């Protein structure tokens, strides 16, 4: 009875504060600010979460956030739920490529077989680029043709390359993870937040992968045609206040919007987060912002 009364009082205070600030929030809404996110990730959001656990309003289907140093769980939602991971697959592709020992200075000519039947690419058939540039395309703007070319550049047949991706999963004891091809376009590339957090930690421990995935932009020209390419990272959090040191986005219709994130919260704690199955691009980043803010309060 007493707890119910306290909750009622707190909610009443919150309603009063929101009413008193109505003009301020209307102004913010007119320029496209997410009012509920702004409100919920602040002081009163912290009160709400403590009184009503699980009220962060996370829209993604499956989520896991851990302390990167201790492994302590900070937040979870369906962390053992297996589902398609879309282009998050490309971190496994990059890891297997790096393990092949192929020099980044090697060159590769884009072939017809590299271009999938769906999705676009910044590249053109017949363009020659370095393998390092191919890796940048794969990790920064999630280029599917580049992912296929990257696997081909390792000098092994595609089936064997995918086999190595699955061997990597076995080695890392990812019992609910499997791969069918290098891009993530196939919905049978699957994992869980619980599994994938181990994969992303392994990937971002590789200095080349971590450095490339944290770049906001990258420019290069193809070697034989001089075509200038400007890449912009698909991870929007790189352009915000958060200190992001690694990340990867993913989307296909069957996976929803996905995000792997290595970042620091506002207290300076390094966290790893996996978000699977957000219903939209906006909700993917709204969820990420809320989880980072929540981490800083807990």
């Amino acid at each position: 009875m007493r707890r119910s009364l306290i909750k009622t009082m707190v909610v009443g205070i919150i309603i009063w504060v929101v009413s008193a600030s109505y003009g301020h929030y209307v102004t913010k809404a007119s320029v496209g600010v997410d009012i509920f996110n702004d409100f919920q990730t602040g002081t009163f959001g912290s009160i709400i979460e403590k009184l009503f656990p699980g009220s962060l309003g996370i829209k993604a289907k499956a989520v896991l956030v851990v302390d990167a140093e201790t492994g302590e769980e900070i937040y979870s939602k369906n962390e053992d739920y297996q589902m398609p991971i879309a282009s998050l697959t490309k971190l496994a592709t990059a890891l297997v490529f790096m393990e092949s020992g192929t020099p980044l200075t090697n060159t590769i000519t884009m072939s017809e077989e590299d271009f999938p039947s769906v999705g676009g690419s910044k590249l053109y058939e017949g363009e020659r680029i370095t393998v390092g540039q191919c890796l940048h395309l794969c990790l920064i703007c999630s280029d599917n043709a580049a992912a296929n070319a990257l696997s081909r550049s390792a000098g092994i047949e595609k089936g064997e390359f995918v086999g190595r991706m699955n061997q990597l999963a076995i080695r890392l004891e990812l019992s609910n993870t499997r791969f069918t091809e290098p891009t993530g376009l196939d919905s049978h590339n699957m994992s869980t937040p619980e599994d994938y957090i181990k994969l992303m930690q392994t990937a971002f421990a590789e200095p080349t992968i971590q450095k490339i995935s944290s770049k906001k932009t990258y420019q290069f020209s193809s070697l034989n045609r001089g075509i200038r390419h400007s890449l912009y990272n698909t991870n929007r959090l790189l352009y915000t206040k958060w200190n992001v040191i690694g990340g990867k986005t993913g989307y296909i219709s069957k996976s929803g919007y996905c995000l792997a994130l290595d970042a620091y919260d506002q207290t300076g704690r390094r966290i790893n987060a996996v978000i699977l199955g957000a219903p939209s691009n906006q909700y993917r980043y709204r969820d990420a912002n809320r989880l980072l803010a929540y981490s800083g309060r807990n």
Side-chain angles (χ1 to χ4, degrees):
M1 181 74 176
R2 185 177 178 183
R3 181 172 176 79
S4 176
L5 179 61
I6 292 172
K7 287 185 177 182
T8 301
M9 290 175 64
V10 169
V11 170
I13 292 170
I14 290 170
I15 292 171
W16 176 80
V17 170
V18 172
S19 298
S21 305
Y22 180 75
H24 169 68
Y25 284 107
V26 167
T27 300
K28 293 187 80 173
S30 68
V31 294
V33 173
D34 184 345
I35 295 172
F36 187 67
N37 179 55
D38 190 50
F39 170 74
Q40 192 168 351
T41 56
T43 303
F44 289 107
S46 181
I47 295 172
I48 290 174
E49 178 63 25
K50 291 184 185 304
L51 290 174
F52 306 99
S55 66
L56 276 180
I58 299 302
K59 297 294 185 181
K61 292 180 181 178
V63 173
L64 181 61
V65 183
V66 302
D67 184 306
E69 304 301 328
T70 67
E72 177 190 358
E73 182 181 297
I74 299 169
Y75 183 92
S76 66
K77 175 183 177 181
N78 299 325
E79 68 273 19
D80 59 351
Y81 182 43
Q82 187 190 51
M83 59 182 296
I85 57 173
S87 283
L88 297 195
T89 298
K90 291 184 176 75
L91 284 186
T93 301
L95 269 171
V96 170
F97 165 76
M98 294 300 296
E99 289 179 353
S100 75
T102 305
L104 296 180
T105 53
N106 280 11
T107 63
I108 187 166
T109 301
M110 298 302 298
S111 168
E112 181 181 3
E113 67 185 276
D114 297 324
F115 295 86
S117 57
V118 294
S121 173
K122 290 186 174 295
L123 299 169
Y124 299 91
E125 184 179 346
E127 266 194 284
R128 191 169 74 251
I129 62 175
T130 70
V131 173
Q133 290 163 348
C134 202
L135 185 60
H136 277 77
L137 280 153
C138 184
L139 295 176
I140 291 178
C141 59
S142 209
D143 193 291
N144 295 309
N148 283 327
L150 195 68
S151 67
R152 185 164 58 86
S153 74
I156 56 177
E157 190 267 335
K158 188 174 182 178
E160 183 182 342
F161 189 93
V162 174
R164 292 188 188 184
M165 292 171 69
N166 285 307
Q167 288 168 16
L168 171 67
I170 293 170
R171 205 165 70 231
L172 295 177
E173 300 182 346
L174 312 182
S175 57
N176 291 306
T177 299
R178 68 172 182 267
F179 301 104
T180 58
E181 49 81 44
T183 70
L185 287 173
D186 187 338
S187 62
H188 293 96
N189 288 301
M190 302 187 78
S191 189
T192 66
E194 203 170 50
D195 270 9
Y196 194 83
I197 211 119
K198 300 175 189 175
L199 175 65
M200 64 170 281
Q201 287 170 340
T202 303
F204 293 142
E206 211 296 322
T208 300
I209 294 175
Q210 183 273 319
K211 183 177 180 180
I212 292 175
S213 73
S214 65
K215 290 182 180 181
K216 294 179 182 178
T217 62
Y218 179 72
Q219 291 80 36
F220 71 96
S221 296
S222 55
L223 301 174
N224 59 335
R225 297 183 179 177
I227 299 173
R228 184 71 173 169
H229 295 287
S230 295
L231 313 183
Y232 298 92
N233 204 306
T234 55
N235 182 4
R236 289 185 183 178
L237 289 186
L238 283 168
Y239 308 95
T240 67
K241 66 179 181 179
W242 301 112
N243 183 5
V244 176
I245 53 178
K248 184 72 194 75
T249 62
Y251 171 78
I252 55 174
S253 60
K254 290 186 178 180
S255 73
Y257 291 82
C258 305
L259 178 67
L261 186 66
D262 190 354
Y264 291 96
D265 65 23
Q266 61 262 43
T267 68
R269 174 166 62 170
R270 185 175 177 180
I271 65 108
N272 294 146
V274 177
I275 296 171
L276 301 181
S280 70
N281 195 36
Q282 178 185 0
Y283 277 122
R284 166 169 54 188
Y285 293 109
R286 192 196 69 167
D287 283 357
N289 274 287
R290 290 184 180 185
L291 291 167
L292 281 163
Y294 178 75
S295 171
R297 299 193 304 265
N298 293 272

